[in-house]
Amino acid sequence: MNDGQLLRYSRHILLEEIGIVGQQRLVDGRALVIGAGGLGSPAALYLASAGVGRLTVADGDTVDLTNLQRQILHTDQRVGQPKAQSARIALNGVNPEVRVREVASRVAGDELAELVADADVVLDCSDNFATRHAVNRACVERRKPLVSGAAIGFAGQLAVFDSRRADAPCYHCLFPEGEDVEEIRCAVMGVFAPLTGIIGSMQAAEAIKLLVGCGEVSEGRLWLLDGLAMEWRSVRFARDPRCPVCVTGPAD
Ligand SMILES: [Zn+2]
């Protein structure tokens, strides 16, 4: 790190748990943020301000006036622009040191697999089950840690899946695909603006801890926030021995 970086990141370097070594890991780190909406906005902003060296932001949407109530990466002036482009402008405005790659498409298939392979940590900030399951499969295949967040109405969720660990559960173990889950979208249901800030910031916190290698990430635990009561509860979960995504061999 140069003098400018040492100064910029001094409040992290002061932390015993991060220090110069941890900050260098962030500067050398690569994060993939899927979705530049309510969750992706605070998550990407904290990753950039904290100095994660390479950030890829993938989002196929354009900025809409209804996004601005919570999606703090975007501005009134950038309504109509691709969200990935608007995100890059905002992130480099905070920290020009960060190399931001904008992917202005709804990633899937080979493109998603390549982006995941090129990341040290993946943040799922998307808003639909198809993307969530595709991101999970790619993370399990490439053994990349996945920080998953969700927010709807006043309800928030956070979970970390670290498939680098041999017996780690995956997103599919917790939310099996094809089960009769109703997809509820913010466009229909509404969402409490600061809730996306709380959950997205927690995703950034877990991702930064994973990159630095400090503390403990809340793996194997689903965190549920009731934003009206401001109450947290957590549920432990384990690998589903019949999971078609993360269990390759036959169960005993
Ligand atoms: Zn699984």
Side-chain angles (χ1 to χ4, degrees):
M1 279 182 283
N2 57 39
D3 287 351
Q5 288 173 308
L6 291 173
L7 199 57
R8 179 184 286 271
Y9 306 126
S10 57
R11 301 306 191 267
H12 255 173
I13 293 168
L14 279 169
L15 295 174
E16 197 182 320
E17 294 81 356
I18 297 181
I20 295 258
V21 172
Q23 186 61 46
Q24 188 64 54
R25 287 185 187 144
L26 290 180
V27 170
D28 296 336
R30 303 165 300 169
L32 169 62
V33 180
I34 309 276
L39 301 172
S41 286
L45 279 166
Y46 274 121
L47 295 178
S49 68
V52 174
R54 284 205 283 152
L55 269 181
T56 301
V57 180
D59 198 307
D61 286 341
T62 52
V63 180
D64 184 82
L65 183 61
T66 61
N67 300 149
L68 300 182
Q69 165 249 20
R70 64 200 176 283
Q71 302 184 13
I72 56 176
L73 274 171
H74 313 301
T75 65
D76 201 62
Q77 291 77 20
R78 295 203 288 271
V79 167
Q81 276 189 28
K83 282 190 184 179
Q85 183 186 48
S86 171
R88 180 185 50 75
I89 294 166
L91 298 172
N92 278 145
V94 174
N95 190 349
E97 307 257 348
V98 174
R99 276 168 56 196
V100 182
R101 178 177 171 193
E102 47 180 279
V103 179
S105 60
R106 186 166 170 170
V107 286
D110 290 346
E111 187 183 25
L112 176 59
E114 280 167 32
L115 292 175
V116 167
D118 198 39
D120 299 312
V121 63
V122 178
L123 291 83
D124 183 356
C125 303
S126 71
D127 63 351
N128 65 87
F129 286 120
T131 301
R132 288 179 184 283
H133 282 291
V135 170
N136 177 58
R137 273 191 294 273
C139 287
V140 170
E141 274 166 25
R142 302 285 177 157
R143 294 192 173 273
K144 301 288 183 174
L146 168 63
V147 184
S148 178
I152 192 84
F154 287 89
Q157 286 182 2
L158 177 93
V160 178
F161 308 91
D162 193 350
S163 49
R164 293 172 302 179
R165 207 163 54 72
D167 59 341
C170 78
Y171 182 81
H172 196 289
C173 295
L174 186 60
F175 299 109
E177 201 171 12
E179 272 197 2
D180 222 6
V181 277
E182 207 182 332
E183 187 141 51
I184 313 165
R185 306 290 291 272
C186 292
V188 186
M189 266 290 287
V191 60
F192 186 48
L195 177 75
T196 58
I198 296 168
I199 301 293
S201 300
M202 287 183 71
Q203 288 183 266
E206 295 302 79
I208 288 172
K209 282 158 57 187
L210 281 161
L211 288 170
V212 169
C214 72
E216 282 173 37
V217 295
S218 63
E219 212 216 334
R221 199 181 267 271
L222 172 68
W223 286 95
L224 300 155
L225 172 65
D226 173 350
L228 266 185
M230 207 48 87
E231 271 178 4
W232 284 99
R233 66 190 178 90
S234 72
V235 207
R236 286 204 165 277
F237 60 93
R239 172 176 275 184
D240 172 3
R242 290 162 306 163
C243 177
V245 176
C246 67
V247 179
T248 47
D252 295 328

mmCIF file with all atom_site columns, all heavy atoms in Angstrom, residues 3 10 14 25 35 38 46 49-50 100 122 125 130 143 178 191-192 210 230-231 237 248:
data_model
loop_
_atom_site.group_PDB
_atom_site.id
_atom_site.type_symbol
_atom_site.label_atom_id
_atom_site.label_alt_id
_atom_site.label_comp_id
_atom_site.label_asym_id
_atom_site.label_entity_id
_atom_site.label_seq_id
_atom_site.pdbx_PDB_ins_code
_atom_site.Cartn_x
_atom_site.Cartn_y
_atom_site.Cartn_z
_atom_site.occupancy
_atom_site.B_iso_or_equiv
_atom_site.pdbx_formal_charge
_atom_site.auth_seq_id
_atom_site.auth_comp_id
_atom_site.auth_asym_id
_atom_site.auth_atom_id
_atom_site.pdbx_PDB_model_num
ATOM 1   N N   . ASP A 1 3   ? 1.288   5.608   0.587   1.00 0.00 ? 3   ASP A N   1
ATOM 2   C CA  . ASP A 1 3   ? 0.961   6.497   1.708   1.00 0.00 ? 3   ASP A CA  1
ATOM 3   C C   . ASP A 1 3   ? -0.508  6.900   1.703   1.00 0.00 ? 3   ASP A C   1
ATOM 4   O O   . ASP A 1 3   ? -1.147  6.977   2.751   1.00 0.00 ? 3   ASP A O   1
ATOM 5   C CB  . ASP A 1 3   ? 1.842   7.763   1.660   1.00 0.00 ? 3   ASP A CB  1
ATOM 6   C CG  . ASP A 1 3   ? 3.281   7.462   2.075   1.00 0.00 ? 3   ASP A CG  1
ATOM 7   O OD1 . ASP A 1 3   ? 3.531   6.333   2.546   1.00 0.00 ? 3   ASP A OD1 1
ATOM 8   O OD2 . ASP A 1 3   ? 4.140   8.346   1.910   1.00 0.00 ? 3   ASP A OD2 1
ATOM 9   N N   . SER A 1 10  ? -6.665  4.032   7.379   1.00 0.00 ? 10  SER A N   1
ATOM 10  C CA  . SER A 1 10  ? -6.036  4.042   8.709   1.00 0.00 ? 10  SER A CA  1
ATOM 11  C C   . SER A 1 10  ? -6.975  3.558   9.813   1.00 0.00 ? 10  SER A C   1
ATOM 12  O O   . SER A 1 10  ? -6.544  2.909   10.761  1.00 0.00 ? 10  SER A O   1
ATOM 13  C CB  . SER A 1 10  ? -5.518  5.440   9.035   1.00 0.00 ? 10  SER A CB  1
ATOM 14  O OG  . SER A 1 10  ? -6.573  6.388   8.959   1.00 0.00 ? 10  SER A OG  1
ATOM 15  N N   . LEU A 1 14  ? -5.978  0.491   12.210  1.00 0.00 ? 14  LEU A N   1
ATOM 16  C CA  . LEU A 1 14  ? -5.905  0.634   13.666  1.00 0.00 ? 14  LEU A CA  1
ATOM 17  C C   . LEU A 1 14  ? -6.546  -0.537  14.396  1.00 0.00 ? 14  LEU A C   1
ATOM 18  O O   . LEU A 1 14  ? -6.240  -0.811  15.552  1.00 0.00 ? 14  LEU A O   1
ATOM 19  C CB  . LEU A 1 14  ? -6.620  1.926   14.106  1.00 0.00 ? 14  LEU A CB  1
ATOM 20  C CG  . LEU A 1 14  ? -5.836  3.223   13.969  1.00 0.00 ? 14  LEU A CG  1
ATOM 21  C CD1 . LEU A 1 14  ? -6.767  4.417   14.190  1.00 0.00 ? 14  LEU A CD1 1
ATOM 22  C CD2 . LEU A 1 14  ? -4.690  3.261   14.972  1.00 0.00 ? 14  LEU A CD2 1
ATOM 23  N N   . ARG A 1 25  ? -5.144  -7.646  2.490   1.00 0.00 ? 25  ARG A N   1
ATOM 24  C CA  . ARG A 1 25  ? -6.006  -8.699  1.928   1.00 0.00 ? 25  ARG A CA  1
ATOM 25  C C   . ARG A 1 25  ? -7.243  -8.083  1.263   1.00 0.00 ? 25  ARG A C   1
ATOM 26  O O   . ARG A 1 25  ? -7.698  -8.571  0.231   1.00 0.00 ? 25  ARG A O   1
ATOM 27  C CB  . ARG A 1 25  ? -6.451  -9.670  3.032   1.00 0.00 ? 25  ARG A CB  1
ATOM 28  C CG  . ARG A 1 25  ? -5.333  -10.577 3.483   1.00 0.00 ? 25  ARG A CG  1
ATOM 29  C CD  . ARG A 1 25  ? -5.814  -11.605 4.485   1.00 0.00 ? 25  ARG A CD  1
ATOM 30  N NE  . ARG A 1 25  ? -4.690  -12.358 5.017   1.00 0.00 ? 25  ARG A NE  1
ATOM 31  C CZ  . ARG A 1 25  ? -4.586  -12.784 6.267   1.00 0.00 ? 25  ARG A CZ  1
ATOM 32  N NH1 . ARG A 1 25  ? -5.572  -12.562 7.125   1.00 0.00 ? 25  ARG A NH1 1
ATOM 33  N NH2 . ARG A 1 25  ? -3.532  -13.452 6.665   1.00 0.00 ? 25  ARG A NH2 1
ATOM 34  N N   . GLY A 1 35  ? -26.566 -7.760  -8.187  1.00 0.00 ? 35  GLY A N   1
ATOM 35  C CA  . GLY A 1 35  ? -27.690 -6.874  -7.892  1.00 0.00 ? 35  GLY A CA  1
ATOM 36  C C   . GLY A 1 35  ? -27.219 -5.561  -7.311  1.00 0.00 ? 35  GLY A C   1
ATOM 37  O O   . GLY A 1 35  ? -26.510 -5.542  -6.303  1.00 0.00 ? 35  GLY A O   1
ATOM 38  N N   . GLY A 1 38  ? -31.483 -2.414  -3.559  1.00 0.00 ? 38  GLY A N   1
ATOM 39  C CA  . GLY A 1 38  ? -31.559 -2.013  -2.150  1.00 0.00 ? 38  GLY A CA  1
ATOM 40  C C   . GLY A 1 38  ? -30.472 -2.623  -1.289  1.00 0.00 ? 38  GLY A C   1
ATOM 41  O O   . GLY A 1 38  ? -29.905 -1.943  -0.431  1.00 0.00 ? 38  GLY A O   1
ATOM 42  N N   . TYR A 1 46  ? -19.927 -0.082  1.007   1.00 0.00 ? 46  TYR A N   1
ATOM 43  C CA  . TYR A 1 46  ? -18.991 -0.399  2.108   1.00 0.00 ? 46  TYR A CA  1
ATOM 44  C C   . TYR A 1 46  ? -17.791 -1.185  1.609   1.00 0.00 ? 46  TYR A C   1
ATOM 45  O O   . TYR A 1 46  ? -16.670 -0.977  2.094   1.00 0.00 ? 46  TYR A O   1
ATOM 46  C CB  . TYR A 1 46  ? -19.702 -1.148  3.241   1.00 0.00 ? 46  TYR A CB  1
ATOM 47  C CG  . TYR A 1 46  ? -20.352 -0.196  4.216   1.00 0.00 ? 46  TYR A CG  1
ATOM 48  C CD1 . TYR A 1 46  ? -21.715 -0.236  4.455   1.00 0.00 ? 46  TYR A CD1 1
ATOM 49  C CD2 . TYR A 1 46  ? -19.586 0.754   4.905   1.00 0.00 ? 46  TYR A CD2 1
ATOM 50  C CE1 . TYR A 1 46  ? -22.321 0.652   5.337   1.00 0.00 ? 46  TYR A CE1 1
ATOM 51  C CE2 . TYR A 1 46  ? -20.175 1.643   5.783   1.00 0.00 ? 46  TYR A CE2 1
ATOM 52  C CZ  . TYR A 1 46  ? -21.543 1.590   6.001   1.00 0.00 ? 46  TYR A CZ  1
ATOM 53  O OH  . TYR A 1 46  ? -22.137 2.463   6.871   1.00 0.00 ? 46  TYR A OH  1
ATOM 54  N N   . SER A 1 49  ? -15.638 1.534   -0.071  1.00 0.00 ? 49  SER A N   1
ATOM 55  C CA  . SER A 1 49  ? -15.030 2.484   0.871   1.00 0.00 ? 49  SER A CA  1
ATOM 56  C C   . SER A 1 49  ? -13.969 1.785   1.712   1.00 0.00 ? 49  SER A C   1
ATOM 57  O O   . SER A 1 49  ? -12.956 2.375   2.068   1.00 0.00 ? 49  SER A O   1
ATOM 58  C CB  . SER A 1 49  ? -16.097 3.130   1.757   1.00 0.00 ? 49  SER A CB  1
ATOM 59  O OG  . SER A 1 49  ? -16.655 2.190   2.643   1.00 0.00 ? 49  SER A OG  1
ATOM 60  N N   . ALA A 1 50  ? -14.181 0.496   2.001   1.00 0.00 ? 50  ALA A N   1
ATOM 61  C CA  . ALA A 1 50  ? -13.225 -0.265  2.809   1.00 0.00 ? 50  ALA A CA  1
ATOM 62  C C   . ALA A 1 50  ? -12.023 -0.727  1.993   1.00 0.00 ? 50  ALA A C   1
ATOM 63  O O   . ALA A 1 50  ? -11.091 -1.306  2.536   1.00 0.00 ? 50  ALA A O   1
ATOM 64  C CB  . ALA A 1 50  ? -13.916 -1.478  3.435   1.00 0.00 ? 50  ALA A CB  1
ATOM 65  N N   . VAL A 1 100 ? -13.645 -1.132  -10.520 1.00 0.00 ? 100 VAL A N   1
ATOM 66  C CA  . VAL A 1 100 ? -15.040 -1.578  -10.587 1.00 0.00 ? 100 VAL A CA  1
ATOM 67  C C   . VAL A 1 100 ? -15.343 -2.061  -11.994 1.00 0.00 ? 100 VAL A C   1
ATOM 68  O O   . VAL A 1 100 ? -15.132 -1.339  -12.967 1.00 0.00 ? 100 VAL A O   1
ATOM 69  C CB  . VAL A 1 100 ? -16.013 -0.446  -10.207 1.00 0.00 ? 100 VAL A CB  1
ATOM 70  C CG1 . VAL A 1 100 ? -17.456 -0.955  -10.249 1.00 0.00 ? 100 VAL A CG1 1
ATOM 71  C CG2 . VAL A 1 100 ? -15.698 0.114   -8.820  1.00 0.00 ? 100 VAL A CG2 1
ATOM 72  N N   . VAL A 1 122 ? -18.760 -13.843 -2.827  1.00 0.00 ? 122 VAL A N   1
ATOM 73  C CA  . VAL A 1 122 ? -19.916 -13.475 -3.646  1.00 0.00 ? 122 VAL A CA  1
ATOM 74  C C   . VAL A 1 122 ? -21.035 -12.990 -2.729  1.00 0.00 ? 122 VAL A C   1
ATOM 75  O O   . VAL A 1 122 ? -21.328 -13.616 -1.703  1.00 0.00 ? 122 VAL A O   1
ATOM 76  C CB  . VAL A 1 122 ? -20.408 -14.689 -4.486  1.00 0.00 ? 122 VAL A CB  1
ATOM 77  C CG1 . VAL A 1 122 ? -21.638 -14.327 -5.302  1.00 0.00 ? 122 VAL A CG1 1
ATOM 78  C CG2 . VAL A 1 122 ? -19.287 -15.205 -5.386  1.00 0.00 ? 122 VAL A CG2 1
ATOM 79  N N   . CYS A 1 125 ? -27.312 -10.152 -3.771  1.00 0.00 ? 125 CYS A N   1
ATOM 80  C CA  . CYS A 1 125 ? -28.188 -9.025  -3.439  1.00 0.00 ? 125 CYS A CA  1
ATOM 81  C C   . CYS A 1 125 ? -29.305 -8.958  -4.470  1.00 0.00 ? 125 CYS A C   1
ATOM 82  O O   . CYS A 1 125 ? -29.818 -7.879  -4.779  1.00 0.00 ? 125 CYS A O   1
ATOM 83  C CB  . CYS A 1 125 ? -27.381 -7.725  -3.430  1.00 0.00 ? 125 CYS A CB  1
ATOM 84  S SG  . CYS A 1 125 ? -25.978 -7.735  -2.289  1.00 0.00 ? 125 CYS A SG  1
ATOM 85  N N   . ALA A 1 130 ? -34.778 -17.446 -9.075  1.00 0.00 ? 130 ALA A N   1
ATOM 86  C CA  . ALA A 1 130 ? -34.019 -18.048 -10.175 1.00 0.00 ? 130 ALA A CA  1
ATOM 87  C C   . ALA A 1 130 ? -32.550 -17.632 -10.070 1.00 0.00 ? 130 ALA A C   1
ATOM 88  O O   . ALA A 1 130 ? -31.641 -18.475 -10.162 1.00 0.00 ? 130 ALA A O   1
ATOM 89  C CB  . ALA A 1 130 ? -34.611 -17.612 -11.512 1.00 0.00 ? 130 ALA A CB  1
ATOM 90  N N   . ARG A 1 143 ? -16.692 -23.567 -5.161  1.00 0.00 ? 143 ARG A N   1
ATOM 91  C CA  . ARG A 1 143 ? -16.317 -23.509 -3.747  1.00 0.00 ? 143 ARG A CA  1
ATOM 92  C C   . ARG A 1 143 ? -15.962 -22.083 -3.299  1.00 0.00 ? 143 ARG A C   1
ATOM 93  O O   . ARG A 1 143 ? -14.867 -21.812 -2.806  1.00 0.00 ? 143 ARG A O   1
ATOM 94  C CB  . ARG A 1 143 ? -15.160 -24.465 -3.448  1.00 0.00 ? 143 ARG A CB  1
ATOM 95  C CG  . ARG A 1 143 ? -15.569 -25.920 -3.635  1.00 0.00 ? 143 ARG A CG  1
ATOM 96  C CD  . ARG A 1 143 ? -14.540 -26.879 -3.065  1.00 0.00 ? 143 ARG A CD  1
ATOM 97  N NE  . ARG A 1 143 ? -15.015 -28.257 -3.100  1.00 0.00 ? 143 ARG A NE  1
ATOM 98  C CZ  . ARG A 1 143 ? -15.738 -28.824 -2.147  1.00 0.00 ? 143 ARG A CZ  1
ATOM 99  N NH1 . ARG A 1 143 ? -16.082 -28.142 -1.080  1.00 0.00 ? 143 ARG A NH1 1
ATOM 100 N NH2 . ARG A 1 143 ? -16.135 -30.076 -2.260  1.00 0.00 ? 143 ARG A NH2 1
ATOM 101 N N   . GLY A 1 178 ? -38.093 -25.104 -6.349  1.00 0.00 ? 178 GLY A N   1
ATOM 102 C CA  . GLY A 1 178 ? -39.272 -25.799 -6.843  1.00 0.00 ? 178 GLY A CA  1
ATOM 103 C C   . GLY A 1 178 ? -40.308 -26.051 -5.767  1.00 0.00 ? 178 GLY A C   1
ATOM 104 O O   . GLY A 1 178 ? -41.417 -26.474 -6.057  1.00 0.00 ? 178 GLY A O   1
ATOM 105 N N   . VAL A 1 191 ? -41.164 -2.127  0.489   1.00 0.00 ? 191 VAL A N   1
ATOM 106 C CA  . VAL A 1 191 ? -40.050 -2.472  1.380   1.00 0.00 ? 191 VAL A CA  1
ATOM 107 C C   . VAL A 1 191 ? -39.631 -1.225  2.146   1.00 0.00 ? 191 VAL A C   1
ATOM 108 O O   . VAL A 1 191 ? -39.593 -0.119  1.604   1.00 0.00 ? 191 VAL A O   1
ATOM 109 C CB  . VAL A 1 191 ? -38.866 -3.109  0.592   1.00 0.00 ? 191 VAL A CB  1
ATOM 110 C CG1 . VAL A 1 191 ? -38.322 -2.169  -0.469  1.00 0.00 ? 191 VAL A CG1 1
ATOM 111 C CG2 . VAL A 1 191 ? -37.755 -3.563  1.533   1.00 0.00 ? 191 VAL A CG2 1
ATOM 112 N N   . PHE A 1 192 ? -39.381 -1.427  3.436   1.00 0.00 ? 192 PHE A N   1
ATOM 113 C CA  . PHE A 1 192 ? -38.972 -0.367  4.357   1.00 0.00 ? 192 PHE A CA  1
ATOM 114 C C   . PHE A 1 192 ? -37.529 0.037   4.013   1.00 0.00 ? 192 PHE A C   1
ATOM 115 O O   . PHE A 1 192 ? -36.621 -0.796  4.070   1.00 0.00 ? 192 PHE A O   1
ATOM 116 C CB  . PHE A 1 192 ? -39.068 -0.930  5.775   1.00 0.00 ? 192 PHE A CB  1
ATOM 117 C CG  . PHE A 1 192 ? -38.829 0.057   6.873   1.00 0.00 ? 192 PHE A CG  1
ATOM 118 C CD1 . PHE A 1 192 ? -39.453 1.298   6.887   1.00 0.00 ? 192 PHE A CD1 1
ATOM 119 C CD2 . PHE A 1 192 ? -37.997 -0.282  7.939   1.00 0.00 ? 192 PHE A CD2 1
ATOM 120 C CE1 . PHE A 1 192 ? -39.236 2.188   7.938   1.00 0.00 ? 192 PHE A CE1 1
ATOM 121 C CE2 . PHE A 1 192 ? -37.784 0.598   8.986   1.00 0.00 ? 192 PHE A CE2 1
ATOM 122 C CZ  . PHE A 1 192 ? -38.406 1.841   8.982   1.00 0.00 ? 192 PHE A CZ  1
ATOM 123 N N   . LEU A 1 210 ? -14.802 -12.281 5.827   1.00 0.00 ? 210 LEU A N   1
ATOM 124 C CA  . LEU A 1 210 ? -14.338 -13.446 5.057   1.00 0.00 ? 210 LEU A CA  1
ATOM 125 C C   . LEU A 1 210 ? -13.051 -13.124 4.314   1.00 0.00 ? 210 LEU A C   1
ATOM 126 O O   . LEU A 1 210 ? -12.123 -13.930 4.266   1.00 0.00 ? 210 LEU A O   1
ATOM 127 C CB  . LEU A 1 210 ? -15.419 -13.884 4.058   1.00 0.00 ? 210 LEU A CB  1
ATOM 128 C CG  . LEU A 1 210 ? -16.570 -14.712 4.631   1.00 0.00 ? 210 LEU A CG  1
ATOM 129 C CD1 . LEU A 1 210 ? -17.774 -14.692 3.682   1.00 0.00 ? 210 LEU A CD1 1
ATOM 130 C CD2 . LEU A 1 210 ? -16.141 -16.145 4.914   1.00 0.00 ? 210 LEU A CD2 1
ATOM 131 N N   . MET A 1 230 ? -38.011 -4.409  15.579  1.00 0.00 ? 230 MET A N   1
ATOM 132 C CA  . MET A 1 230 ? -36.542 -4.376  15.627  1.00 0.00 ? 230 MET A CA  1
ATOM 133 C C   . MET A 1 230 ? -36.026 -5.516  16.505  1.00 0.00 ? 230 MET A C   1
ATOM 134 O O   . MET A 1 230 ? -35.272 -5.325  17.456  1.00 0.00 ? 230 MET A O   1
ATOM 135 C CB  . MET A 1 230 ? -36.038 -3.009  16.122  1.00 0.00 ? 230 MET A CB  1
ATOM 136 C CG  . MET A 1 230 ? -34.636 -2.661  15.610  1.00 0.00 ? 230 MET A CG  1
ATOM 137 S SD  . MET A 1 230 ? -34.439 -2.933  13.828  1.00 0.00 ? 230 MET A SD  1
ATOM 138 C CE  . MET A 1 230 ? -34.994 -1.379  13.138  1.00 0.00 ? 230 MET A CE  1
ATOM 139 N N   . GLU A 1 231 ? -36.460 -6.702  16.132  1.00 0.00 ? 231 GLU A N   1
ATOM 140 C CA  . GLU A 1 231 ? -36.058 -7.909  16.858  1.00 0.00 ? 231 GLU A CA  1
ATOM 141 C C   . GLU A 1 231 ? -35.411 -8.901  15.902  1.00 0.00 ? 231 GLU A C   1
ATOM 142 O O   . GLU A 1 231 ? -35.923 -9.147  14.808  1.00 0.00 ? 231 GLU A O   1
ATOM 143 C CB  . GLU A 1 231 ? -37.287 -8.585  17.490  1.00 0.00 ? 231 GLU A CB  1
ATOM 144 C CG  . GLU A 1 231 ? -37.586 -8.059  18.867  1.00 0.00 ? 231 GLU A CG  1
ATOM 145 C CD  . GLU A 1 231 ? -38.831 -8.693  19.472  1.00 0.00 ? 231 GLU A CD  1
ATOM 146 O OE1 . GLU A 1 231 ? -39.413 -9.602  18.843  1.00 0.00 ? 231 GLU A OE1 1
ATOM 147 O OE2 . GLU A 1 231 ? -39.209 -8.259  20.566  1.00 0.00 ? 231 GLU A OE2 1
ATOM 148 N N   . PHE A 1 237 ? -29.298 -24.215 10.765  1.00 0.00 ? 237 PHE A N   1
ATOM 149 C CA  . PHE A 1 237 ? -29.657 -25.190 9.738   1.00 0.00 ? 237 PHE A CA  1
ATOM 150 C C   . PHE A 1 237 ? -28.411 -25.981 9.349   1.00 0.00 ? 237 PHE A C   1
ATOM 151 O O   . PHE A 1 237 ? -27.290 -25.519 9.537   1.00 0.00 ? 237 PHE A O   1
ATOM 152 C CB  . PHE A 1 237 ? -30.288 -24.516 8.501   1.00 0.00 ? 237 PHE A CB  1
ATOM 153 C CG  . PHE A 1 237 ? -29.394 -23.523 7.814   1.00 0.00 ? 237 PHE A CG  1
ATOM 154 C CD1 . PHE A 1 237 ? -28.593 -23.920 6.757   1.00 0.00 ? 237 PHE A CD1 1
ATOM 155 C CD2 . PHE A 1 237 ? -29.348 -22.196 8.226   1.00 0.00 ? 237 PHE A CD2 1
ATOM 156 C CE1 . PHE A 1 237 ? -27.764 -23.012 6.110   1.00 0.00 ? 237 PHE A CE1 1
ATOM 157 C CE2 . PHE A 1 237 ? -28.521 -21.291 7.589   1.00 0.00 ? 237 PHE A CE2 1
ATOM 158 C CZ  . PHE A 1 237 ? -27.724 -21.694 6.538   1.00 0.00 ? 237 PHE A CZ  1
ATOM 159 N N   . THR A 1 248 ? -22.876 -34.462 -3.575  1.00 0.00 ? 248 THR A N   1
ATOM 160 C CA  . THR A 1 248 ? -22.569 -35.093 -4.855  1.00 0.00 ? 248 THR A CA  1
ATOM 161 C C   . THR A 1 248 ? -22.738 -36.605 -4.787  1.00 0.00 ? 248 THR A C   1
ATOM 162 O O   . THR A 1 248 ? -23.319 -37.207 -5.671  1.00 0.00 ? 248 THR A O   1
ATOM 163 C CB  . THR A 1 248 ? -21.141 -34.741 -5.308  1.00 0.00 ? 248 THR A CB  1
ATOM 164 O OG1 . THR A 1 248 ? -20.267 -34.922 -4.190  1.00 0.00 ? 248 THR A OG1 1
ATOM 165 C CG2 . THR A 1 248 ? -21.068 -33.312 -5.783  1.00 0.00 ? 248 THR A CG2 1
#
